[in-house]
Amino acid sequence: MPEPLETAVYTHGHHESVLRSHTWRTAANSAAYLLGALRPHMRILDIGCGPGTITADLAALVPEGHVTGLDREPAILERARAVARERGLTNVGFAAGDVHALDFPDDTFCVVHAHQVLQHVGDPVRALREMRRVTRPGGFVAVRDADYAAMTWYPPSRGMDDWLELYRRVARANGGEPDAGRRLKSWALAAGFTDVTATSATWTFSTPEERAWWSGLWADRTVASAYAERAVEGGHATAGQVRAVARAWREWGARPDGWFGVLHGEILCRKEA
């Protein structure tokens, strides 16, 4: 396998509060824009697969095909393999690798998919070129990323404003781009794609259960994850400031009128035949 080329640091890490969010993701709530293009025989590469819930959903949708889940962290792939085993899937496998230097031949996959990946990489255009390289002519590269600056909530909260400012500062210090969603189309064109369909979609958290889950995982992530360590050790916030942000999240989650919207940019790029 080629030497890793990634220069960015993954902001979130794999703390339980992060996996709590990642294991909630499904093909339906995170890749709906892609599903209409899938066919039963397809070979799919799922980059940044994490704990593998979306990967497993994609494998179920291509019963005559095969899905490969790829992640930089070998340890998280054990979680993904366990998900596949629990679901009885036999057409899925997993490997460690770097999106900047994919260890696959040209024209290997019908679909290359990446969810919440390009916001964390050092060179998203290079990553897209690699994704394009391993896609078969006529196949698709499908990418979806949140756009942090476009996230919005009610009621207003100074503490939540502080959270967003802090997160974007830490993510950029780590070499990523937290406002990736709005940039996906531009990056795809720079990577050489000429057939790009750009869309958007949202996650909304408003019910008591949704607010408790979303605010709880972000409150925990703010004080206990790799992101929290990087915020403090990088000099972006004091321990007291991150605790105050976590309190703001919990206070928002307890509000009966609380509402939070997450905007995602999406691109479906067809590789020319």
Side-chain angles (χ1 to χ4, degrees):
M1 181 177 292
E3 288 297 313
L5 299 175
E6 177 61 275
T7 57
V9 175
Y10 180 47
T11 295
H12 297 291
H14 292 94
H15 184 264
E16 182 279 330
S17 60
V18 178
L19 295 180
R20 201 185 315 164
S21 170
H22 292 183
T23 55
W24 166 83
R25 298 172 183 173
T26 66
N29 68 28
S30 299
Y33 70 105
L34 166 63
L35 302 188
L38 299 184
R39 300 295 179 266
H41 66 278
M42 284 182 161
R43 292 190 66 188
I44 300 174
L45 176 62
D46 185 24
I47 295 175
C49 67
T53 50
I54 296 176
T55 317
D57 284 352
L58 294 175
L61 292 168
V62 292
E64 301 165 27
H66 188 271
V67 180
T68 300
L70 186 84
D71 203 277
R72 287 186 62 209
E73 297 295 332
I76 198 62
L77 294 177
E78 290 306 312
R79 290 282 299 265
R81 292 185 181 100
V83 168
R85 286 195 300 269
E86 289 165 5
R87 299 194 192 183
L89 296 165
T90 59
N91 64 331
V92 60
F94 298 92
D98 182 352
V99 67
H100 295 92
L102 296 171
D103 193 24
F104 302 101
D106 296 357
D107 306 337
T108 298
F109 299 98
C110 306
V111 174
V112 178
H113 168 261
H115 184 264
Q116 312 292 13
V117 171
L118 293 191
Q119 63 186 278
H120 297 296
V121 306
D123 191 340
V125 173
R126 179 171 182 165
L128 280 162
R129 287 185 183 130
E130 271 293 272
M131 295 166 73
R132 182 175 180 270
R133 178 184 66 78
V134 302
T135 302
R136 294 175 179 174
F140 296 95
V141 170
V143 176
R144 186 177 195 249
D145 270 275
D147 193 298
Y148 274 77
M151 293 186 187
T152 189
W153 57 85
Y154 187 86
S157 164
R158 179 64 248 179
M160 298 281 280
D161 291 342
D162 291 342
W163 159 74
L164 183 56
E165 180 183 355
L166 174 63
Y167 179 84
R168 294 172 75 218
R169 191 163 62 246
V170 172
R172 289 195 171 117
N174 287 339
E177 175 45 70
D179 304 341
R182 69 188 66 191
R183 292 171 164 81
L184 295 182
K185 180 181 178 182
S186 175
W187 288 342
L189 294 174
F193 288 102
T194 58
D195 184 350
V196 180
T197 300
T199 56
S200 63
T202 60
W203 290 336
T204 303
F205 304 100
S206 180
T207 69
E209 295 78 16
E210 291 166 348
R211 293 195 317 273
W213 180 78
W214 186 242
S215 64
L217 70 86
W218 267 107
D220 292 344
R221 191 181 301 189
T222 299
V223 294
S225 70
Y227 157 65
E229 295 172 7
R230 289 162 186 149
V232 175
E233 293 175 4
H236 304 289
T238 66
Q241 287 170 327
V242 297
R243 287 194 297 269
V245 167
R247 286 195 301 273
W249 268 109
R250 295 194 186 281
E251 289 167 1
W252 170 83
R255 289 288 301 255
D257 58 349
W259 179 94
F260 198 106
V262 179
L263 178 69
H264 298 87
E266 303 164 336
I267 50 170
L268 190 62
C269 311
R270 184 186 288 272
K271 183 175 178 177
E272 63 277 9

